[in-house]
Amino acid sequence: MIEKALTSADVEFVTTLHGEEQVSFQVLLQPRGEQADRLLRAIDDVALGELDEAVREGETPEGEEALSVGQRALEVSLAALRASGSPAQGRLIEDHPLDALKSLVEETGADEVIVLTDPHYVEEFFHRDWASRARHKVGVPVLKLFSHSKA
C-alpha cells in the first residue's frame, strides 16, 4: 500500500527484502490530497523541519486532479517493479483503503502487507496510520516502511 510513486530506492528496497525468493506485488495506491488530511500533513512537515513543504500543502491536488496524479504514480510504480523482475499489478483506491487491503489479502492469499509512506507523526502517535490500523484488520504480518525520498 502506497500513497505516491515509488522511487528507485523504494523499489530496490522492497524487491530485495526477501533475498532471492521470487515475490510478486499487488499495489494499492490511495492518492494524497484529501482536504481532511491537509492539516495533519502540514504538522508532519513542520515536525520534520520542512516549513516550505508545510506552506505548499494547499497546492496538493484534490478530487479528480488527485486521481489522475495517482494513476500516473501507480503506473510508474508498477513499471518500476516489473523492470526489476517482479510481477506487479495494482489499482487506485478512492475510499476505505483498509477494507480494500483486507479484500485483496483474502483474494490473493497474500503472505505479508507492506505499507510504504512518508512519515505521518501525528497519525502514528495515535496509532491511526495505515500500518497500525491494518495490523488489526488484515490477518497477515504488516511491515511499515518509510519512503526513501520525496517523489
Side-chain angles (χ1 to χ4, degrees):
M1 181 172 239
I2 60 176
E3 65 186 357
K4 64 180 186 177
L6 296 175
T7 65
S8 57
D10 295 332
V11 170
E12 182 178 354
F13 191 46
V14 298
T15 57
T16 60
L17 279 173
H18 296 287
E20 297 298 317
E21 183 180 341
Q22 179 63 32
V23 177
S24 64
F25 293 91
Q26 296 288 329
V27 180
L28 298 180
L29 184 143
Q30 182 177 36
R32 295 182 73 182
E34 294 299 316
Q35 178 69 30
D37 296 336
R38 187 177 290 163
L39 176 60
L40 293 176
R41 289 194 317 265
I43 291 170
D44 288 338
D45 291 336
V46 170
L48 290 168
E50 297 174 352
L51 300 178
D52 290 342
E53 289 295 319
V55 170
R56 284 195 290 272
E57 283 300 339
E59 300 168 7
T60 302
E62 295 192 16
E64 291 299 316
E65 185 181 353
L67 290 177
S68 68
V69 169
Q71 185 62 44
R72 284 193 304 273
L74 180 61
E75 290 166 3
V76 164
S77 298
L78 293 174
L81 288 166
R82 291 174 186 143
S84 75
S86 297
Q89 297 179 15
R91 64 179 184 237
L92 287 180
I93 317 163
E94 293 183 49
D95 297 312
H96 311 292
L98 295 175
D99 292 339
L101 182 61
K102 181 179 180 183
S103 294
L104 184 63
V105 166
E106 291 169 355
E107 290 167 18
T108 63
D111 297 322
E112 169 182 68
V113 167
I114 298 172
V115 176
L116 190 125
T117 67
D118 287 332
H120 299 293
Y121 295 114
V122 174
E123 292 169 337
E124 290 166 25
F125 180 79
F126 291 106
H127 302 282
R128 300 301 304 153
D129 58 298
W130 285 345
S132 296
R133 294 181 350 200
R135 286 186 181 107
H136 301 286
K137 190 159 188 129
V138 298
V140 297
V142 176
L143 180 60
K144 177 180 181 175
L145 302 175
F146 293 123
S147 180
H148 280 76
S149 63
K150 300 276 184 193

